[in-house]
Amino acid sequence: MMADLIGGQLAMGVIAITEQSLEFHRSDKLRILAVTSPAPLVAAPDLPTVADAGFPDLSNQSTIGPVAPARTSKAIIEQIAQATRAALGERAFQQKLVESGFEVSADTTPEKYRRSLESDIAFWAPVVKTLGLKID
């Protein structure tokens, strides 16, 4: 989609805000109209939010993080969580995430992340249903 947006084959799209998309925006190859996060991004505070642009119902804080198979033991989940918190505690890693368009939350837990994913599913489920999207 990014190539088609830059090439002019698409008039508009919804893309992830990444280091690459921010660079295309800054070099005037792509125009990011708004971000869907509830607050402006640390990496690009000049970009308006969708709420600022008049579309508050489109506001959604997407999340990224590690996942494991459903039957993974709590001990392994806790090891992954500890490793994740350690990585998020490193300043250089935090800076790289911010530069890539992500907001860093070092106080996360597996339960908070699970709730965040549930919220994402609830947000997008009506869109998936309305469009009749299916996984092949």
Side-chain angles (χ1 to χ4, degrees):
M1 182 187 309
M2 184 82 73
D4 286 342
L5 284 166
I6 292 170
Q9 286 81 20
L10 292 174
M12 190 186 120
V14 179
I15 61 170
I17 299 296
T18 64
E19 189 172 11
Q20 181 186 38
S21 62
L22 288 173
E23 183 52 39
F24 284 136
H25 173 75
R26 291 177 181 129
S27 65
D28 291 326
K29 292 179 182 162
L30 184 71
R31 183 171 173 213
I32 298 174
L33 302 175
V35 296
T36 59
S37 57
L41 297 178
V42 172
D46 57 312
L47 294 175
T49 66
V50 288
D52 293 336
F55 303 97
D57 291 343
L58 293 178
S59 186
N60 177 267
Q61 183 71 49
S62 296
T63 56
I64 63 165
V67 295
R71 291 174 178 65
T72 304
S73 73
K74 290 192 183 276
I76 297 296
I77 297 294
E78 188 50 38
Q79 284 181 327
I80 294 168
Q82 286 176 6
T84 301
R85 283 190 294 272
L88 289 173
E90 293 181 15
R91 187 74 185 129
F93 186 61
Q94 287 179 7
Q95 186 60 35
K96 185 64 176 170
L97 288 172
V98 167
E99 290 169 2
S100 298
F102 296 102
E103 303 292 315
V104 179
S105 176
D107 70 339
T108 191
T109 66
E111 181 59 25
K112 284 182 183 178
Y113 184 55
R114 185 187 63 73
R115 286 193 309 266
S116 177
L117 291 175
E118 287 174 349
S119 175
D120 288 346
I121 291 167
F123 181 84
W124 289 109
V127 175
V128 170
K129 183 177 179 182
T130 298
L131 295 176
L133 300 177
K134 305 273 186 240
I135 296 176
D136 291 335

